[in-house]
């Protein structure tokens, strides 16, 4: 589950992470009112969408010469103009795709005089089974570009959850950023607080870009988190009812929202072959073999181990909501749920949704022959497959017939 920047900052502040003062705004007037609560003289107006690249993005409705989704303002009138430009309009960034995202919320923060910008992120390192802390001196930039062009400027530290964040981790972070003295102590403290936040919220990722050093104006340079992205493990949300309430459904695909109501793992993709599979690993293999045969999957959809008729029917409906789908491949391994039960569910679902695109079904596992017999005697134009390779070849052929 993702949240907005302003929500992420408010959350991190509760763990002691240094955050500039800022206020969320749902209207132009709220954005202007925020300037009365900020010291100024510089304000930053930031569009709130679940995507990066906002500063370089463009608003569809404002033309190619319009400014992006992060703007500097020095007066309340400039804040008003920026807010009026952003709210209700569609921001297109490198991460949103051409469709973009409508801006419904803003974040107005105090401006900061920046000396240096760094990158710091925490994530689950599945290769090591530890929490990875990614550190780079190249903050404020696209980290993917840094990884591609200058990978030596990125360092990754692994933290064993059994021991937790230790002083040597803090020193390593400061060293990777080239900081000494008081700033090195601040860097170690920020990294420690972020680690606490990561564990305390069951986060999957916390990304800080930039982590900025302010200019020394007599009171000493400070480290501040100027932008934050936080994503949580959806499976852990039952432990965090307060965090679950931060979910913004307007930022999510309607089909993915509907899928979550039926306990289906669904992600829309750009292809033309709908996939319904039980098990995430099998689903990934299914998508790969479709691409190997020259077409592209329209979705990732895992119906889980206990695929009931109701879940299968819901899955069919969700897949068929996508007008790009020209055929469906069902790839089910009958373990907990037997193949004959799955076959009954597929037939019932196909009849209920009045299936009008080619359907290829590959069953394997318990009672597989009974399941195949049920499909063969259904009277429906269901194409049976013997194995995964056969299934992929058949659905690709069927889709190309339609095309």
């Amino acid at each position: 589950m993702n949240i907005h920047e302003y929500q992420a900052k408010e959350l991190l502040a509760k763990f002691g992470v240094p955050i500039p003062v800022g206020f969320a705004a749902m209207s132009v007037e709220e954005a202007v009112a925020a300037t009365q609560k900020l010291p100024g003289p510089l304000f930053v107006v930031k569009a709130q969408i679940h995507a990066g690249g906002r500063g370089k993005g463009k608003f569809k409705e404002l033309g190619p010469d319009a400014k992006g989704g992060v703007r500097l303002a020095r007066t309340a009138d400039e804040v008003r103009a920026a807010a009026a430009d952003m709210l209700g309009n569609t921001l297109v960034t490198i991460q949103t795709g051409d469709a973009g995202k409508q801006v419904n919320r803003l974040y107005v923060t105090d401006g900061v005089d920046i000396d240096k910008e760094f990158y710091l992120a925490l994530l689950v390192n599945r290769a090591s089974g530890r929490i990875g802390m990614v550190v780079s001196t190249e903050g404020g930039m696209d980290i993917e570009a840094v990884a591609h062009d200058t990978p030596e400027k990125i360092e990754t530290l692994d933290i064993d959850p059994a021991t937790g964040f230790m002083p040597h981790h803090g020193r390593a972070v400061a060293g990777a950023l080239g900081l000494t003295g008081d700033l090195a102590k601040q860097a170690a403290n920020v990294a420690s607080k972020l680690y606490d936040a990561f564990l305390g919220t069951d986060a999957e990722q916390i990304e800080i870009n930039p982590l900025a050093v302010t200019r020394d104006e007599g009171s000493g340079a400070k480290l501040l988190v100027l932008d934050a992205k936080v994503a949580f493990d959806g499976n852990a949300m039952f432990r965090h009812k307060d965090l679950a309430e931060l979910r913004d459904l307007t930022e999510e695909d309607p089909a993915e929202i509907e899928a979550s109501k039926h306990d289906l793992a669904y992600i829309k993709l750009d292809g033309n072959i709908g996939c319904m599979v039980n098990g995430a690993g099998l689903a990934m293999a299914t998508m790969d073999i479709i691409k190997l045969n020259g077409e592209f999957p329209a979705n990732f959809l895992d119906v889980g181990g206990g695929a009931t008729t109701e879940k299968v029917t819901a899955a069919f409906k969700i897949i068929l909501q996508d007008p790009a789908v020209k055929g469906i491949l069902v790839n089910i391994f009958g373990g907990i749920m037997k193949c004959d039960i799955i076959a009954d569910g597929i037939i019932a679902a196909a009849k209920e949704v009045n299936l009008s695109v080619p359907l290829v079904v590959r069953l394997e596992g318990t009672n597989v022959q009974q399941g195949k017999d049920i499909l063969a005697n259904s009277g429906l134009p269901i194409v049976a497959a013997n194995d995964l390779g056969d299934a992929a070849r058949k659905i690709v052929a069927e889709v190309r017939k339609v095309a």
Side-chain angles (χ1 to χ4, degrees):
M1 188 189 87
N2 298 315
I3 57 176
H4 290 290
E5 173 197 358
Y6 77 91
Q7 295 168 321
K9 285 184 172 178
E10 290 173 358
L11 180 63
L12 294 178
K14 294 178 181 178
F15 287 86
V17 178
I19 304 292
V21 180
F23 299 93
M26 310 301 172
S27 68
V28 173
E29 293 307 320
E30 287 184 5
V32 174
T35 64
Q36 305 303 313
K37 297 179 281 187
L38 294 169
L42 183 66
F43 311 106
V44 186
V45 184
K46 310 179 81 173
Q48 298 295 284
I49 59 173
H50 289 177
R54 292 169 294 165
K56 296 180 181 179
K58 298 295 182 182
F59 285 93
K60 278 187 175 182
E61 297 84 354
L62 303 182
D65 297 326
K67 296 179 181 178
V70 178
R71 305 189 192 180
L72 300 179
R74 295 190 176 276
T75 66
D77 286 340
E78 289 181 1
V79 170
R80 181 184 299 277
D85 270 358
M86 295 183 192
L87 282 171
N89 286 330
T90 307
L91 181 61
V92 180
T93 79
I94 192 171
Q95 292 188 9
T96 65
D98 294 338
K101 285 182 176 288
Q102 181 173 300
V103 177
N104 300 314
R105 310 181 188 198
L106 301 175
Y107 188 41
V108 183
T109 73
D110 201 34
V112 174
D113 194 2
I114 301 172
D115 185 26
K116 296 178 182 177
E117 293 183 333
F118 303 123
Y119 178 94
L120 179 59
L122 289 88
L123 47 80
V124 178
N125 187 338
R126 301 189 187 281
S128 65
R130 299 184 176 188
I131 297 172
M133 190 168 282
V134 182
V135 189
S136 176
T137 55
E138 304 303 297
M141 296 180 61
D142 183 350
I143 195 65
E144 289 82 6
V146 177
H148 181 271
D149 299 333
T150 54
E152 70 278 4
K153 294 184 178 181
I154 298 177
E155 292 193 33
T156 301
L157 314 171
D158 274 349
I159 304 171
D160 189 338
T163 59
F165 191 93
M166 305 291 285
H168 69 86
H169 294 124
R171 292 192 294 271
V173 169
L177 297 178
L179 298 176
T180 58
D182 184 60
L183 281 175
K185 295 178 182 178
Q186 291 185 48
N189 181 63
V190 170
S192 175
K193 300 298 186 186
L194 289 172
Y195 180 85
D196 291 342
F198 190 89
L199 286 188
T201 62
D202 284 307
E204 284 187 335
Q205 178 178 335
I206 295 179
E207 183 181 47
I208 309 301
N209 188 24
L211 173 65
V213 178
T214 65
R215 296 189 187 278
D216 187 349
E217 297 179 351
S219 59
K222 303 295 183 185
L223 271 180
L224 287 176
V225 169
L226 296 193
D227 196 3
K229 295 177 186 174
V230 177
F232 306 108
D233 181 354
N235 295 317
M237 284 301 96
F238 72 93
R239 289 199 290 260
H240 304 281
K241 302 298 184 183
D242 56 330
L243 299 181
E245 293 175 357
L246 300 178
R247 185 180 181 188
D248 182 2
L249 294 179
T250 66
E251 289 290 321
E252 300 180 26
D253 186 284
E256 293 181 14
I257 296 172
E258 180 65 21
S260 67
K261 296 177 182 177
H262 300 278
D263 196 26
L264 298 169
Y266 173 89
I267 299 173
K268 186 182 182 307
L269 302 173
D270 296 329
N272 59 356
I273 295 179
C275 303
M276 185 170 70
V277 190
N278 65 332
L282 189 58
M284 297 296 289
T286 302
M287 293 190 295
D288 286 345
I289 203 164
I290 287 173
K291 292 187 68 174
L292 186 64
N293 281 271
E295 292 293 342
F296 293 88
N299 63 270
F300 169 99
L301 196 155
D302 176 9
V303 296
T308 64
T309 299
E310 291 74 20
K311 289 184 72 171
V312 171
T313 302
F316 269 116
K317 290 179 178 179
I318 291 167
I319 291 172
L320 291 172
Q321 286 177 6
D322 183 355
V325 170
K326 305 303 179 186
I328 298 176
L329 172 56
V330 175
N331 183 22
I332 299 289
F333 180 83
I336 299 173
M337 185 63 71
K338 298 179 177 64
C339 288
D340 53 335
I341 304 299
I342 294 170
D344 286 331
I346 291 171
I347 292 168
K351 289 179 178 178
E352 182 172 337
V353 301
N354 193 23
L355 190 66
S356 58
V357 298
L359 171 62
V360 173
V361 177
R362 181 254 182 164
L363 296 177
E364 193 56 76
T366 308
N367 292 352
V368 63
Q369 190 55 53
Q370 293 95 313
K372 289 181 177 180
D373 291 342
I374 290 170
L375 294 177
N377 297 323
S378 67
L380 297 175
I382 299 173
V383 179
N386 296 319
D387 53 45
L388 184 49
D390 183 44
R393 289 188 293 271
K394 284 180 175 176
I395 191 59
V396 167
E398 292 291 329
V399 166
R400 289 177 176 174
K401 283 181 190 176
V402 175

